[in-house]
Amino acid sequence: MHRRTLMTALPVAALSAALPVFRPARAQAEATALREFRVLRAGRDIGRHRLSARQDADGFALDIDIELVVRVLGIAAYRYEMSVAERWSGGQLVRLDSKTNDDGTDDFVRIQREGEGLAVDGSGFSGTQPGEAVATTYHSVDLMQRRPWLSSQSGKPIAIDPRPVAGEAGAFAMGGELGNVLIYDSAGDWSGCRFDAGGEPAEYALSEASGSIAGLWQAGS
C-alpha cells in the first residue's frame, strides 16, 4: 500500500544477509493464510488492514482490504479505503487489480503480465515495467530483493532503499519514497509497520494471524 495523503539500494547480497531466515516447509500443507492489523495513529485506533492469501492450482492469490478513518472531535476528517487482488504464478506477478478511495480521490491500478513484462494502467502511471516488478503489498520479506516496486494505489514506480534497523530484528527502514519501517518475523511474514501520518506517529499492530502468507507465496507463486 502506498498512501499519498496519510504516509507522507542496499545491495542485494548485503540485504539478503540481513533478512530473517525463511522456512517455507511449515506452510507447505496450508491452503490459506491471514494477517490482520489494527492501524494506530498517536495511539488511537483508526482502522484495519487485512491480507487474505491462498494457494491453489493456479498459483498464489492475495486479497487486501483496508479501511481507515481519522476522526477529529468525533467527526470523520479523513477516510481511506482500498481493495487489492493480486495473483502470482511461477514466481512472477501475473495480475493485480486495485481500487482506492483516498478521502474522496479515486485511484486505481490494473497490472497484467504480457510476455516478459508487465503492462501497467494506473491513475499515477501507465506503461510497461519489467517482469520482476512487485507491488507495495509488503506480504513477504523476499519482495525486498525485487525491483522495481510499483504503488498498489496508483501504479507509480517507487524508489526504495531498505536498510536494517539497528537492534531490531526483522525491521527495515525503507527509505526512498516510502519512508516507513517494515517489520518481518523469522518466517518472512509481514508483522508490523511504522510511519509518519500527518505529523503524528502511526503503527500497525498485528491483531489476527493464521498460517504463513510468505510461505504460501514461496510455495505457490
Side-chain angles (χ1 to χ4, degrees):
M1 174 185 63
H2 178 60
R3 292 177 299 279
R4 178 177 40 112
T5 304
L6 189 63
M7 186 183 298
T8 41
L10 190 65
V12 169
L15 178 60
S16 297
L19 296 179
V21 176
F22 179 64
R23 301 180 178 88
R26 73 179 177 88
Q28 295 294 323
E30 297 169 354
T32 63
L34 169 71
R35 292 292 182 279
E36 182 168 313
F37 298 90
R38 295 169 56 216
V39 184
L40 306 175
R41 181 175 185 256
R44 297 184 295 274
D45 193 326
I46 63 170
R48 300 291 184 270
H49 184 143
R50 182 181 179 91
L51 300 88
S52 304
R54 69 178 184 275
Q55 176 192 348
D56 56 29
D58 295 325
F60 173 82
L62 179 69
D63 295 305
I64 297 172
D65 290 291
I66 305 170
E67 294 184 5
L68 308 176
V69 181
V70 177
R71 298 185 183 277
V72 178
L73 299 177
I75 300 173
Y78 173 81
R79 290 184 180 275
Y80 184 96
E81 300 170 322
M82 171 186 269
S83 63
V84 182
E86 188 177 64
R87 303 295 180 262
W88 291 72
S89 181
Q92 303 291 335
L93 180 63
V94 174
R95 188 175 73 255
L96 181 144
D97 293 285
S98 170
K99 292 183 178 180
T100 302
N101 170 19
D102 189 349
D103 204 33
T105 298
D106 292 329
D107 284 305
F108 70 93
V109 187
R110 290 185 290 271
I111 299 175
Q112 183 74 40
R113 178 161 295 274
E114 293 185 354
E116 297 300 314
L118 295 172
V120 181
D121 178 21
S123 53
F125 174 85
S126 293
T128 302
Q129 289 292 311
E132 289 295 304
V134 297
T136 54
T137 50
Y138 304 156
H139 59 271
S140 170
V141 73
D142 289 342
L143 296 178
M144 288 201 209
Q145 301 183 57
R146 307 283 285 267
R147 298 290 189 280
W149 279 28
L150 308 175
S151 167
S152 57
Q153 176 169 322
S154 69
K156 176 186 174 183
I158 295 174
I160 62 169
D161 183 22
R163 297 178 183 274
V165 176
E168 189 174 358
F172 297 87
M174 297 305 293
E177 297 177 56
L178 288 179
N180 56 359
V181 174
L182 299 179
I183 305 167
Y184 294 86
D185 64 21
S186 60
D189 279 296
W190 186 29
S191 61
C193 179
R194 298 193 299 271
F195 56 97
D196 178 87
E200 293 194 293
E203 65 176 329
Y204 274 35
L206 190 62
S207 60
E208 185 177 353
S210 64
S212 171
I213 292 179
L216 291 183
W217 177 74
Q218 185 78 6
S221 65

